[in-house]
Amino acid sequence: MVQIYFRAQDKTASVPEGTTILEAARRAGVIVESPCNGIGTCGKCRVKVCGSDREKLVCEEGRHHLSEEEVRAGYVLSCQTKVYGDIEVDAASTAAQNKSLKILSDGQSFAYAIKNHITKRFDGEKTLVYGGDTLLGEEPGDTTNAVYGLSVDIGTTTVVTALIDMLTGEELASASALNPQSLHAQDVLTRIKFASDPEGLRIMYDGITEEINRMIAYTAARAGIRTENIYEAVYSGNTTMIHLATNVDPSSLGRYPYTPQITGGNEIPAKMLHISPFGLIYLPPIISSYVGPDITSGVLASQLEKKKGTTLFIDIGTNGEMVIAKDGSLSATSTAAGPAFEGMNITCGMRAGRGALELFEVGDDGGIRTHTIGDTAATGICGSGLLDIVGELVRTGVIGANGKFVTPEKGSYPENLKKHMVLLEGKPAFQAADGVYLTQKDIRQVQLAKGAVRAGIEALLLSQNVRAEDVDLVEIAGSFGYHLRAKSLIHIGLLPREFEGKVDFVGNTSKSGGKAFLLNTDLRRHMETLAGKIEGVELSNREGFDKLFLSALSF
């Protein structure tokens, strides 16, 4: 057996010789980001090994993900590095990651009355707590003035939790963090595969539950309330996230006919949450296998079915979930955009944290203007910055319609941009900032991601016999979507040019819709009925979708 000491977390794993650092980290309860689930393709599981300990390692595949400077400094890919002696490792803590992440917690909403599922009655000696007409439990003394609930947005990448006073509707505190599941498997499909065996499901369920409980403790402390007086939580998230957060095997979502084990529109006991011992979790209705309660909450928050004309609602992220509303008639679909928009599978990609290049503009003279999160030197590119860079380079002709770089010799773009075209490991790349590059491989990842979303949009428009020019309003939802710019989405072709001037960014409607579900039972019944009427457009079965996708790859 060998001992692996993780210094930042002050934890030690005792494992057999030949165990990878990543496996040792998981056994010790240390989270190391590994969105490809340890197969060596993403390059994100870098850790630093103390200099004198490196001779005790055997590194296999994946060295190409590390620069020469990183190798000299002692960095290795933890998933590809086997250990044959006692070592010490520096691995970034998730607390540090969460502190620098830029996560949006606010979203569009509407006016509604408070009509709680949770009610209380004081009988002179004790307080009776009801869920609807059912007596849930009783508490000593009069606690009728303390009724709190949670709106929890469980995204594929991030989690946002808001603590709500259910008597007044006031949001008392909120917290946001990286979804710890994303450190093991980045997108929905790899997460389904990871959780299709009992041990993988346990890791996914325990991880998200621990994170939500941490948020509960944090928000309750901020608001100065007792966690025992929190009686209900609403979980909004895509269908897979809801399965994992409720400890339900998601494997049926990964094989035809992709049938969910959960349909939503019900309460379940909140056994593992650190709230009232008789607390509940409400699951909003699920529209389809890949259109979950996050979109149901979004439909509710934006009041889609009440809008006149044609509105397209899109949540852009690792999944491209979307709903079209045509005079009250709704259709929905989802596409697998993949992790590129989150900065994953990108050479200099990173999450939206300190040092991430989030804005990139090219002036008429070819001058470049950039901005990073935290106003520091650029250390990488997050999703919004990635789409900005590609959009601007397409607009200025540095990237051709086929997605390939146009060499300086053949390009007619400004001289200043030509100076930024360099060779990186012998291949063309664009230097967006010192040490930060966009490669041809990165452009391909953007093409695939934006092509999937654009093809979904086109299929949804066809399902309602609507032309792009006939769409009256486009609502972009989600934390990631809120930080995008309409012109970048149009320049890369993710949105049709006909949408110019019609795009509205509505924020985190998963959370704001979840709050509405929490505070009004009539809205629950209404959306449970409406969700059953929304037509699900299954793209994999749609004739001609392959052609739509191929045409959508072009810039």
Side-chain angles (χ1 to χ4, degrees), residues 310-328:
T310 302
T311 300
L312 184 63
F313 178 94
I314 311 172
D315 189 331
I316 302 174
T318 51
N319 298 311
E321 297 165 292
M322 58 197 78
V323 182
I324 189 169
K326 182 181 178 183
D327 293 323

Side-chain angles (χ1 to χ4, degrees), residues 49-69:
V49 178
C50 294
S52 60
D53 292 338
R54 294 173 206 166
E55 62 190 33
K56 303 169 185 175
L57 308 175
V58 173
C59 301
E60 297 183 345
E61 299 298 323
R63 286 288 291 271
H64 61 281
H65 287 295
L66 302 169
S67 67
E68 292 181 5
E69 292 79 7

Side-chain angles (χ1 to χ4, degrees), residues 475-487:
E475 295 187 327
I476 306 293
S479 177
F480 171 66
Y482 190 78
H483 296 105
L484 300 177
R485 294 190 297 162
K487 67 177 185 178

Side-chain angles (χ1 to χ4, degrees), residues 234-236 242 263-266 282-286 292-293 296-297 514 517 528:
V234 174
Y235 277 7
S236 291
I242 297 302
T263 57
N266 64 296
Y282 175 74
L283 306 177
I286 286 173
T296 312
S297 293
F517 276 123
E528 287 159 15

Side-chain angles (χ1 to χ4, degrees), residues 355-367:
L357 200 157
E358 65 170 346
L359 182 146
F360 181 94
E361 284 186 326
V362 177
D364 294 338
D365 61 350

Side-chain angles (χ1 to χ4, degrees), residues 202-420:
R202 183 194 64 78
I203 290 172
M204 290 289 170
Y205 175 65
D206 288 352
I208 191 63
T209 303
E210 288 170 9
E211 188 59 63
I212 293 171
N213 279 329
R214 186 192 66 79
M215 291 177 162
I216 291 170
Y218 172 81
T219 54
R222 285 282 303 273
I225 71 151
R226 299 172 66 240
T227 56
E228 291 85 353
N229 293 136
I230 301 173
Y231 301 95
E232 193 169 29
V234 174
Y235 277 7
S236 291
N238 67 51
T239 309
T240 301
M241 295 307 102
I242 297 302
H243 279 66
L244 299 180
T246 53
N247 205 24
V248 176
D249 182 358
S251 57
S252 64
L253 296 172
R255 57 177 183 266
Y256 187 81
Y258 316 111
T259 306
Q261 301 299 309
I262 299 170
T263 57
N266 64 296
E267 295 93 17
I268 61 174
K271 296 178 181 178
M272 301 303 291
L273 294 187
H274 297 165
I275 60 175
S276 167
F278 34 84
L280 301 172
I281 297 171
Y282 175 74
L283 306 177
I286 286 173
I287 295 170
S288 71
S289 303
Y290 289 104
V291 182
D294 53 345
I295 301 304
T296 312
S297 293
V299 169
L300 173 60
S302 61
Q303 296 286 276
L304 269 186
E305 80 279 11
K306 295 182 179 179
K307 286 187 164 81
K308 300 291 184 182
T310 302
T311 300
L312 184 63
F313 178 94
I314 311 172
D315 189 331
I316 302 174
T318 51
N319 298 311
E321 297 165 292
M322 58 197 78
V323 182
I324 189 169
K326 182 181 178 183
D327 293 323
S329 175
L330 277 61
S331 298
T333 195
S334 175
T335 64
F341 292 154
E342 304 292 346
M344 300 297 103
N345 293 350
I346 303 300
T347 304
C348 293
M350 62 182 290
R351 303 194 190 282
R354 184 177 176 84
L357 200 157
E358 65 170 346
L359 182 146
F360 181 94
E361 284 186 326
V362 177
D364 294 338
D365 61 350
I368 292 173
R369 183 175 75 92
T370 64
H371 184 266
T372 62
I373 296 173
D375 291 315
T376 66
T379 55
I381 307 169
C382 66
S384 59
L386 177 66
L387 296 194
D388 266 4
I389 295 170
V390 175
E392 288 292 85
L393 297 188
V394 169
R395 180 181 67 83
T396 54
V398 179
I399 297 174
N402 61 0
K404 292 185 177 180
F405 280 122
V406 177
T407 61
E409 299 77 29
K410 296 182 179 180
S412 57
Y413 45 88
E415 286 297 322
N416 186 57
L417 293 181
K418 292 182 180 180
K419 295 176 184 177
H420 285 263

